[in-house]
Amino acid sequence: MRKMYALIAALMVTVFVLAGCQTEGGGEKASASQEEKQQVTLNIELSKNKGEKVLANKEVTVEKGTVLMEVMKNNFEVAEKDGFITGIKGITASEEEQKAWMFTINGESSMVGANKYEVKQGDEIVFDLQSWE
């Protein structure tokens, strides 16, 4: 009978040790998948009249593959129409004044809309409310 209890105790210890190893291994897998979700950091500046007045400057960290429109909506009060940003922080573009929110990426005018551009590490993005004349 004593041998049976010893055998059961040994079996239980083995099961606990194996369960502990699996938990550690699962933790390593979880941290590896976290590392796979790469992050990118970028800077967003809001200004008026081709940089005459800076309204905000914010460093943002997001998952790689995030589109600019999503970044803007998550960090600023944004109004949009048909994929175009028409207002940021309550400041809206006006057709009467012929003004619009234009943006540059790393000093270059964007060739795609904010709803199409995937942000990249180190991007310097400037949204500027300016005349389109």
Side-chain angles (χ1 to χ4, degrees):
M1 190 68 136
R2 217 174 244 214
K3 287 183 181 182
M4 184 180 252
Y5 286 126
L7 183 61
I8 291 173
L11 248 144
M12 289 177 64
V13 168
T14 304
V15 167
F16 285 120
V17 169
L18 289 175
C21 289
Q22 283 183 336
T23 302
E24 285 181 23
E28 289 173 13
K29 287 180 185 176
S31 65
S33 68
Q34 288 290 355
E35 289 175 16
E36 288 174 14
K37 290 184 179 180
Q38 295 179 347
Q39 303 276 309
V40 297
T41 301
L42 59 140
N43 191 66
I44 299 173
E45 180 180 294
L46 305 178
S47 61
K48 280 184 169 183
N49 301 321
K50 298 183 181 179
E52 279 182 19
K53 182 177 181 183
V54 175
L55 306 172
N57 198 331
K58 187 171 188 177
E59 185 176 88
V60 178
T61 301
V62 298
E63 283 186 25
K64 185 177 181 179
T66 304
V67 295
L68 181 55
M69 182 69 79
E70 185 178 337
V71 173
M72 292 300 292
K73 285 182 175 182
N74 289 338
N75 290 280
F76 301 98
E77 177 189 334
V78 173
E80 72 160 305
K81 181 178 180 185
D82 300 325
F84 292 96
I85 292 179
T86 59
I88 304 174
K89 291 180 69 169
I91 303 168
T92 56
S94 166
E95 286 187 41
E96 295 83 37
E97 295 178 40
Q98 294 186 335
K99 290 193 173 194
W101 282 101
M102 306 290 196
F103 72 98
T104 60
I105 302 166
N106 303 319
E108 301 289 326
S109 293
S110 176
M111 302 308 284
V112 297
N115 61 341
K116 301 278 188 215
Y117 181 73
E118 287 186 11
V119 296
K120 295 176 182 55
Q121 178 63 35
D123 275 349
E124 293 286 332
I125 298 173
V126 177
F127 277 87
D128 189 78
L129 182 64
Q130 58 184 256
S131 175
W132 25 279
E133 46 182 64

